């Protein structure tokens, strides 16, 4: 998973966050999943962190991929993930699926992802996962997203498929862990970089670096 947090226009973007268990930069990564170089262009995708206790490294590292079922998370993607009708990150070329308008929006989405993943209350001021610093545009935007999830009505979220990338791979003899990630597709896009992932559920050779303050 060759991660990139610097290239503008590719959907990545980071801003300062202060949450339970972590203080630094948060936002969306982009990169590629593939076993080894050279990586084909259609292996490009965008993804978020779901592991605060580990950091990414330069890899490559073996990840186990699987379908991740969480309806609250699917609702978050439905109300706030940019350009959802593109469906996937690749369709003959990189699409605008998941390209946030700015770093604040990307970081707010990451904070909302963490709240849903680590807590159940959709509230950054209570529970086991909270915003721990003074309020910022990121925390305000993140809570607004969580409020939209809480008031969500309808079944549109069922068109989303979530994927998790976890290390170490089950059955591995390695005790080393790397940061875990999550990505998504909308409806059933083909062709696309993640279109076959739900069928294969294979371990991925992955390399990543994470920008931290």
């Amino acid at each position: 998973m060759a991660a990139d947090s610097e290239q503008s226009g590719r959907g990545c973007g980071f801003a300062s966050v202060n949450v339970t268990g972590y203080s630094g930069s948060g936002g969306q990564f982009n990169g590629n999943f593939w076993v080894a170089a050279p990586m084909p262009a259609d292996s490009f995708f965008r993804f978020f962190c779901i592991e605060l206790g580990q950091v990414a490294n330069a890899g490559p590292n073996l990840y186990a991929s699987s379908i991740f079922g969480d309806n609250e998370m699917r609702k978050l993607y439905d109300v706030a993930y940019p350009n959802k009708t593109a469906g996937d990150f690749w369709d003959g070329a990189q699409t605008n699926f998941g390209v946030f308008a700015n770093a604040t929006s990307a970081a707010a989405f990451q904070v909302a992802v963490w709240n849903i993943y680590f807590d159940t209350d959709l509230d950054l001021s209570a529970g086991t996962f909270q915003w721990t610093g003074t309020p910022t545009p990121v925390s305000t935007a993140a809570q607004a997203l969580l409020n939209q999830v809480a008031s969500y009505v309808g079944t549109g979220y069922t068109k989303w498929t979530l994927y998790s990338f976890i290390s170490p791979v089950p059955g591995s003899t390695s005790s080393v862990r790397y940061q875990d990630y999550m990505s998504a597709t909308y409806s059933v896009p083909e062709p696309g970089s993640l279109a076959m992932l739900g069928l294969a559920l294979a371990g991925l050779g992955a390399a990543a670096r994470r920008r931290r303050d």
Side-chain angles (χ1 to χ4, degrees), residues 142-185:
Q143 185 58 60
L145 296 181
L146 294 169
N147 292 344
Q148 290 184 68
V149 172
S151 62
Y152 188 97
V153 176
T155 59
Y157 70 91
T158 60
K159 295 181 180 180
W160 287 90
T161 302
L162 306 178
Y163 309 90
S164 63
F165 304 87
I166 307 297
S167 76
V169 173
S172 170
T173 58
S174 174
S175 61
V176 178
R177 292 191 61 190
Y178 302 103
Q179 191 171 82
D180 299 336
Y181 299 107
M182 182 185 68
S183 190
T185 54

Side-chain angles (χ1 to χ4, degrees), residues 113-212:
V113 164
W114 283 331
N115 182 265
I116 293 171
Y117 193 81
F118 295 117
D119 207 344
T120 60
D121 60 4
L122 302 176
D123 188 347
L124 290 173
S125 64
T128 58
F129 182 89
Q130 300 183 30
W131 183 268
T132 56
T134 57
T136 70
V138 171
S139 64
T140 300
Q143 185 58 60
L145 296 181
L146 294 169
N147 292 344
Q148 290 184 68
V149 172
S151 62
Y152 188 97
V153 176
T155 59
Y157 70 91
T158 60
K159 295 181 180 180
W160 287 90
T161 302
L162 306 178
Y163 309 90
S164 63
F165 304 87
I166 307 297
S167 76
V169 173
S172 170
T173 58
S174 174
S175 61
V176 178
R177 292 191 61 190
Y178 302 103
Q179 191 171 82
D180 299 336
Y181 299 107
M182 182 185 68
S183 190
T185 54
Y186 182 70
S187 190
V188 188
E190 287 191 27
S193 59
L194 296 184
M196 296 303 295
L197 182 58
L199 298 176
L201 304 185
L204 303 177
R209 62 178 175 81
R210 178 172 184 179
R211 186 175 109 181
R212 279 176 167 266

